[in-house]
Amino acid sequence: MPAPFALSVALRQMTHDRGQTLLTIGVVATSVTLILFISSLIVGLQIRIVSTVTDSIPHVRVLPRERALEVPWERTATVDTTVRVGDVPKLEQRQRKIEGWKPWMERIEALEISGLNAVLASVEGGVVVSRESKRISARLVGAAPEDYNRIVDLQQNLVAGRFFGLNGGEAAIGLKLATDLGVRLGERVSLLSAEGNTGTATIAGIFETGSGAVDGLTVVVPLRDGQSLFRLGNAITGFGLKLLDVFSAEQVADDLRRQLPFKIESWMEDNERTLSGLRAQAQSSRMIIGFTVISSGLAIAALMVIAVSSKYRELGILKAMGASNGQVLRIFAWQGTLLSLIGALVGTLVSLGLLFWLSRLKTVSVNTGRATELFPIAITLGNFIIANGLALATGLLASIYPALRAAKVDPIAVIRSQ
Amino acid sequence: MKTIPGPLVSLEGIGKVYGGEVPTRALQGISFAVNPGEFVAIVGSSGCGKTTLLNLLGLLDRATEGTLRLAGRNVTDLDSREAGQLRRDLLGFIFQFHYLLPEFDALENALMPCRLAGGDRAKEREPAMRALFTRLGLGPKIHKRPSQLSGGEQQRVAILRALANDPLFILADEPTGNLDSRNAAEISSLLHDVTREMHRAVIMVTHDQEMAMKADRVITLRDGRIESDRPTGRHPATS
């Protein structure tokens, strides 16, 4: 079956006017490349920032309730509700730990939290780590290494020693902390808790996660050692939850608040500024994509208006021969669609090549010699669908105005102009 | 071949007034008929209404007065869609400038009205068109692009394009105005062949008296009216 009239004319015009065809395809391809490059880079950057933040912390924390002010005049009904002269606000009974935590842990696990990856029972607190004359404030985490690793992957990020199977009296510390202290594997450090309790630990592992907060401030010891240093007995200071979808943390935290008598925090509350920055970045990216789409649409429309103008007489004669407005309109609608389709395909291939090349560029850590990607590229199917969909829609929309102009060519005016 | 009893074209009291702040009358009381096998020339000085009449006959414009019949059908008040369809099916156009589509070769250009009609029309008409190409000495040029043809060859292709859909009559607007005398004579002869052999009608607008005298009949317009309608004596019926 022969191709429809409009399609066959559109194809012929495209192959005949090669310069213009290549120019239009170039505009679309450049737009698609730009959209894919920007979106892949922004998404990659967001993934890297979010994972840098969330990989090294629990996504949701279950903590003892904070002490609240107990004000005499807001005291709940008791036997004696009289407020006396001299009464002052006082703090509630101090409660910084969770006693009898194992049933609570079982309860959390039984809550069927959607996308729950791991639950960790741990003790955490501030310590001063010292080695000879050097003293550095750090955060000590007491937890079973294998369990803690499900929250923060230290085993994978070990640069020396071991993490799994830490024995009592052993610790794993971040590379920056170790460097700052001047401590190496097998050497001992002293630990001083905020409450004045002291202890020592032998460095059994050194890790580098890439997060400054983890590498420069974290000491991990077995749970029992942590409990001992903070004099907690069998209690813990909280639970940490790791989720498969980091952005569901707020929802999970809300659910837990209704079901547990503890203070619940999500990483999203603690990192509102980071998230706000990411949102601003995503918004900027959308604006750049929007302007790219508009400029490419205008360029396509301008090129096609020129094409229509250059074919003014031929179009007039076609209409005099009986071509309908629809047939003439479809010639340019087809051209816009086909040029956008080819441009999108070329742009996709160029982008894939460019993104693949960029994703292979590495930067090497001065300290560890480990290589990481220079550009955080995230190639997603969604980005490709969006970029190609935008290109096609832009091409089609941009061809409407020139196509309408073509359809309105008056054959009488063409004949008079002879 | 389509055959129609009676005149192919019939105009009764056709008039055309262009609107605007000051309405302008272009044509008034135009009445004539054209039969199959007739070659009619319309002449007149510049601004006498020749092109307006051609536009009305070609269904490119509408008359404001009178009745126009093509092949017996009243086509005075067709909408643009119906008019386009009739132009495609009944009429063939020849213009002073050929305006062939540069992206298509000679045969494809000639078959363009059939492509506009869609379906297998172009395929059906291709053998007949190839034969006409050969007859006009364009056989070797059948797959040449317009830019590879001379002015006379381009105009001959344009005439073949006007014949592609086997139209009932052909409207020609200064078909030789852009050609040298040798090519003009060839085109004139070709138009005669169309009327005689194919039993079609040709209505040609021209300001070239010599070319007009090669027609069977000359209608002279003056100030939008028919000043004279005379046979030239070339038509077999009148010679």
Side-chain angles (χ1 to χ4, degrees), chain A residues 2 5 8-9 12-13 16-17 311 313-314 317-323 327 411-412 414-416 418, chain B residues 18 55 60-61 84 87-88 93 95-97 99 101-104 108 112-113 115-116 119 145 161 173:
Chain A
F5 168 78
S8 67
V9 175
R12 279 302 176 87
Q13 287 188 350
H16 187 259
D17 304 329
K311 297 196 181 306
R313 288 188 174 81
E314 287 83 355
I317 299 304
L318 274 178
K319 290 190 75 177
M321 287 192 296
Q327 281 176 313
I412 296 176
V414 172
I415 293 165
R416 275 192 191 140
Q418 287 191 110
Chain B
Y18 289 107
N55 290 339
L60 293 167
D61 205 352
R87 279 202 300 276
R88 210 173 53 207
F93 278 97
F95 304 97
Q96 182 176 354
F97 295 97
Y99 295 138
L101 297 179
E103 305 88 4
F104 291 86
E108 289 169 328
M112 198 54 70
R115 296 175 81 124
L116 281 171
R145 293 278 169 94
R161 180 177 65 185
D173 187 8

Side-chain angles (χ1 to χ4, degrees), chain B residues 121-199:
Chain B
R121 185 79 179 134
K123 205 172 172 182
E124 288 164 11
R125 290 288 295 159
E126 190 178 323
M129 292 308 289
R130 281 180 179 275
L132 281 172
F133 265 85
T134 308
R135 187 176 155 188
L136 294 189
L138 288 172
K141 307 283 178 79
I142 205 161
H143 291 304
K144 297 282 185 199
R145 293 278 169 94
S147 59
Q148 296 169 301
L149 302 175
S150 69
E153 288 169 337
Q154 287 171 344
Q155 193 61 316
R156 274 181 277 169
V157 173
I159 290 173
L160 290 174
R161 180 177 65 185
L163 295 171
N165 243 347
D166 193 18
L168 287 176
F169 72 100
I170 289 172
L171 291 171
D173 187 8
E174 302 281 9
T176 58
N178 199 33
L179 299 176
D180 57 35
S181 56
R182 191 178 62 85
N183 275 309
E186 271 186 28
I187 298 301
S188 161
S189 155
L190 178 61
L191 292 175
H192 267 291
D193 292 349
V194 169
T195 53
R196 301 285 185 274
E197 296 172 25
M198 299 172 76
H199 210 57

